[in-house]
Amino acid sequence: MAGRFAPSPSGPLHFGSLIAAVGSYLIAKSRHTEWLVRIEDIDPPREVTGASDLILRQLEAFGLHWDSEVSYQSQQLDHYAEIIEQLKSQGLVYACNCTRKKIKSLSKTGYYPNICAAKKLSFNGEVAIRLRHGEADYSFVDQIQGPCQFEDSLYAEDFAIRRKDGLIAYQLAVVVDDIEQGIDHVVRGCDLLDSTPRQLRLYEVLKGKAPDWYHLPLAINPDGNKLSKQNHAPAIDSQQASKMLCHALEFLGQPIPSELQQEKPAVILDYALSHFQMSQIPANQQILYLA
Ligand code: GLU
């Protein structure tokens, strides 16, 4: 049993990703499980050179020490390909040669209308591989956000598990790894809330036990955009680790008394853990954060 923090190395940690790191650390420790770090480096076009190492150094500076070795998804590509072969032999996937433009022109909702499902296209060449949707509605109860239900078109979409450019889709890699690493609870930002039904479909076909889900509120800026690397959120400054850690803990409803705020990150984290109250994490999907 374990929890994990699974950053993509598309840049250094920013305040939004620090929240996911701190939240997943506290929840794993409060559940008395290991806390693993997994680098999700399967999207080379989005990867920034040196970001993986930088993220690990930032975590260390914040006193967020992981258990077991760091894992890298880029080292699992053959394994993901094997899983895809297995799904092919079970008839659970099909090839799709639709372009993004075509999908856009065919679909009002933005969801793929499953038009290649009956075509039996060859898997060779530039095709996406899509997983046939299941029958369940894949609604779930989130430990922070409560009951979560999505529009039917999300459940009915045969989503891609390998992209047309040949890259493995995040959905597949994340579930394969979470099952194999014994992840029994997933803590991450609410931006991934609507990926969860897709992942539940993958748990079903891969015969894994679904984890407990904890979706943390997203920090948004005054324009309503989430703090993200794409929105140029500033990297967190490891020189100000104690201060930023206190901000992240405050955001998660776990305030640190002012007399402790100048202490080293390890002391602050110890206090946060021994006073951790799950029920105080705000059940909001978004919270305005003014840096
Ligand atoms: N790698 C994903 C990200 O950085 C997070 C994956 C997850 O926690 O499920 O957004």
Side-chain angles (χ1 to χ4, degrees), residues 4-8 38 40 170 174 178 186-188 191-192 199 226 229:
R4 48 55 164 196
F5 173 56
S8 307
R38 181 174 71 227
E40 304 212 317
Y170 151 72
V174 82
D178 282 342
V186 164
V187 183
R188 58 190 180 191
D191 49 338
L192 292 167
Q199 294 174 13
K226 73 164 186 160
K229 293 159 199 164

CSV table of all heavy atoms in Angstrom, one decimal, residues 4-8 38 40 170 174 178 186-188 191-192 199 226 229, ligand 1:
chain,number,residue,atom,x,y,z
A,4,ARG,N,1.3,8.4,-3.7
A,4,ARG,CA,2.4,8.8,-4.6
A,4,ARG,C,2.1,10.3,-5.0
A,4,ARG,O,1.0,10.8,-4.9
A,4,ARG,CB,2.5,7.9,-5.8
A,4,ARG,CG,1.2,7.5,-6.6
A,4,ARG,CD,0.4,8.6,-7.0
A,4,ARG,NE,-0.5,8.3,-8.1
A,4,ARG,CZ,-1.1,9.3,-8.8
A,4,ARG,NH1,-0.8,10.5,-8.6
A,4,ARG,NH2,-2.0,8.9,-9.8
A,5,PHE,N,3.3,10.9,-5.4
A,5,PHE,CA,3.2,12.2,-6.1
A,5,PHE,C,3.8,11.9,-7.4
A,5,PHE,O,4.9,11.3,-7.5
A,5,PHE,CB,4.1,13.2,-5.3
A,5,PHE,CG,4.3,14.5,-6.0
A,5,PHE,CD1,3.1,15.3,-6.4
A,5,PHE,CD2,5.5,15.1,-6.2
A,5,PHE,CE1,3.3,16.5,-7.0
A,5,PHE,CE2,5.7,16.3,-6.9
A,5,PHE,CZ,4.6,17.0,-7.3
A,6,ALA,N,3.1,12.3,-8.5
A,6,ALA,CA,3.5,11.9,-9.8
A,6,ALA,C,3.7,13.1,-10.8
A,6,ALA,O,2.9,13.3,-11.7
A,6,ALA,CB,2.5,10.9,-10.4
A,7,PRO,N,4.7,13.9,-10.6
A,7,PRO,CA,4.9,15.1,-11.4
A,7,PRO,C,5.3,14.8,-12.9
A,7,PRO,O,6.0,13.8,-13.1
A,7,PRO,CB,5.9,15.9,-10.7
A,7,PRO,CG,6.8,14.9,-10.0
A,7,PRO,CD,5.8,13.8,-9.6
A,8,SER,N,4.8,15.6,-13.8
A,8,SER,CA,5.4,15.5,-15.2
A,8,SER,C,6.5,16.5,-15.2
A,8,SER,O,6.4,17.7,-14.7
A,8,SER,CB,4.3,15.9,-16.2
A,8,SER,OG,3.1,15.2,-15.9
A,38,ARG,N,6.9,9.4,-8.5
A,38,ARG,CA,7.0,8.8,-9.8
A,38,ARG,C,7.1,9.9,-10.9
A,38,ARG,O,6.2,10.8,-10.9
A,38,ARG,CB,5.8,7.9,-10.1
A,38,ARG,CG,5.8,7.3,-11.5
A,38,ARG,CD,4.7,6.3,-11.6
A,38,ARG,NE,3.4,6.9,-11.8
A,38,ARG,CZ,2.3,6.6,-11.1
A,38,ARG,NH1,2.3,5.6,-10.3
A,38,ARG,NH2,1.2,7.3,-11.3
A,40,GLU,N,6.6,11.3,-14.4
A,40,GLU,CA,5.7,10.9,-15.5
A,40,GLU,C,6.3,11.6,-16.8
A,40,GLU,O,5.8,12.6,-17.3
A,40,GLU,CB,4.3,11.3,-15.2
A,40,GLU,CG,3.8,10.6,-13.9
A,40,GLU,CD,2.4,10.3,-13.9
A,40,GLU,OE1,1.5,11.0,-14.3
A,40,GLU,OE2,2.1,9.1,-13.4
A,170,TYR,N,-1.4,9.4,-21.0
A,170,TYR,CA,-1.3,9.5,-19.6
A,170,TYR,C,-2.2,8.5,-18.9
A,170,TYR,O,-1.8,7.9,-17.9
A,170,TYR,CB,-1.6,11.0,-19.2
A,170,TYR,CG,-2.2,11.1,-17.8
A,170,TYR,CD1,-1.5,11.0,-16.7
A,170,TYR,CD2,-3.6,11.4,-17.7
A,170,TYR,CE1,-2.0,11.1,-15.4
A,170,TYR,CE2,-4.2,11.5,-16.4
A,170,TYR,CZ,-3.4,11.4,-15.3
A,170,TYR,OH,-3.9,11.5,-14.1
A,174,VAL,N,-0.7,5.9,-16.1
A,174,VAL,CA,-0.9,6.2,-14.7
A,174,VAL,C,-1.6,5.0,-14.0
A,174,VAL,O,-1.2,4.6,-12.9
A,174,VAL,CB,-1.7,7.5,-14.6
A,174,VAL,CG1,-3.2,7.3,-14.8
A,174,VAL,CG2,-1.5,8.2,-13.2
A,178,ASP,N,0.0,2.7,-11.1
A,178,ASP,CA,-0.7,2.8,-9.8
A,178,ASP,C,-1.0,1.3,-9.4
A,178,ASP,O,-0.9,1.0,-8.2
A,178,ASP,CB,-1.9,3.7,-9.8
A,178,ASP,CG,-1.5,5.2,-9.7
A,178,ASP,OD1,-0.4,5.5,-9.4
A,178,ASP,OD2,-2.4,6.0,-10.1
A,186,VAL,N,-5.1,7.8,-4.3
A,186,VAL,CA,-4.5,8.8,-5.2
A,186,VAL,C,-4.9,10.2,-4.8
A,186,VAL,O,-6.1,10.5,-4.6
A,186,VAL,CB,-5.1,8.5,-6.7
A,186,VAL,CG1,-4.8,9.6,-7.6
A,186,VAL,CG2,-4.4,7.2,-7.2
A,187,VAL,N,-3.9,11.0,-4.6
A,187,VAL,CA,-4.1,12.4,-4.2
A,187,VAL,C,-3.6,13.3,-5.3
A,187,VAL,O,-2.4,13.2,-5.6
A,187,VAL,CB,-3.4,12.7,-2.8
A,187,VAL,CG1,-3.7,14.1,-2.4
A,187,VAL,CG2,-3.7,11.7,-1.8
A,188,ARG,N,-4.4,14.2,-5.8
A,188,ARG,CA,-3.9,15.1,-6.9
A,188,ARG,C,-4.9,16.2,-7.0
A,188,ARG,O,-5.9,16.3,-6.3
A,188,ARG,CB,-3.8,14.3,-8.2
A,188,ARG,CG,-5.2,13.6,-8.5
A,188,ARG,CD,-5.0,12.7,-9.7
A,188,ARG,NE,-6.3,12.1,-10.0
A,188,ARG,CZ,-6.4,11.0,-10.8
A,188,ARG,NH1,-5.3,10.5,-11.4
A,188,ARG,NH2,-7.6,10.5,-11.1
A,191,ASP,N,-7.9,19.3,-11.3
A,191,ASP,CA,-7.9,19.3,-12.8
A,191,ASP,C,-8.0,17.9,-13.3
A,191,ASP,O,-8.2,17.7,-14.5
A,191,ASP,CB,-6.6,20.0,-13.3
A,191,ASP,CG,-5.3,19.5,-12.6
A,191,ASP,OD1,-5.4,19.0,-11.5
A,191,ASP,OD2,-4.3,19.7,-13.2
A,192,LEU,N,-7.7,16.9,-12.5
A,192,LEU,CA,-7.8,15.5,-13.0
A,192,LEU,C,-9.0,14.7,-12.5
A,192,LEU,O,-9.2,13.5,-12.7
A,192,LEU,CB,-6.5,14.7,-12.5
A,192,LEU,CG,-5.2,15.3,-13.2
A,192,LEU,CD1,-4.0,14.8,-12.6
A,192,LEU,CD2,-5.3,14.9,-14.7
A,199,GLN,N,-10.1,6.4,-15.8
A,199,GLN,CA,-9.2,5.5,-15.0
A,199,GLN,C,-9.9,4.4,-14.4
A,199,GLN,O,-9.4,3.2,-14.3
A,199,GLN,CB,-8.3,6.4,-14.1
A,199,GLN,CG,-7.4,7.3,-14.9
A,199,GLN,CD,-6.6,8.3,-14.1
A,199,GLN,OE1,-6.5,8.2,-12.9
A,199,GLN,NE2,-6.1,9.3,-14.8
A,226,LYS,N,-5.8,28.1,-13.6
A,226,LYS,CA,-5.1,27.4,-12.6
A,226,LYS,C,-3.6,27.8,-12.7
A,226,LYS,O,-3.1,28.1,-13.8
A,226,LYS,CB,-5.3,25.9,-12.7
A,226,LYS,CG,-4.6,25.2,-13.9
A,226,LYS,CD,-4.5,23.7,-13.6
A,226,LYS,CE,-3.7,23.1,-14.7
A,226,LYS,NZ,-3.1,21.8,-14.5
A,229,LYS,N,2.3,25.2,-15.2
A,229,LYS,CA,3.5,25.6,-16.0
A,229,LYS,C,3.1,26.3,-17.3
A,229,LYS,O,3.7,27.2,-17.7
A,229,LYS,CB,4.3,24.3,-16.3
A,229,LYS,CG,4.9,23.7,-15.0
A,229,LYS,CD,5.2,22.2,-15.2
A,229,LYS,CE,5.3,21.5,-13.8
A,229,LYS,NZ,5.3,20.1,-13.9
B,1,GLU,N1,1.5,13.7,-14.0
B,1,GLU,C1,0.3,14.3,-13.7
B,1,GLU,C2,0.5,15.8,-13.7
B,1,GLU,O1,1.6,16.2,-13.4
B,1,GLU,C3,-0.4,13.9,-12.4
B,1,GLU,C4,-0.8,12.5,-12.5
B,1,GLU,C5,-1.7,12.1,-11.3
B,1,GLU,O2,-1.5,12.5,-10.2
B,1,GLU,O3,-2.6,11.2,-11.6
B,1,GLU,O4,-0.5,16.5,-13.9
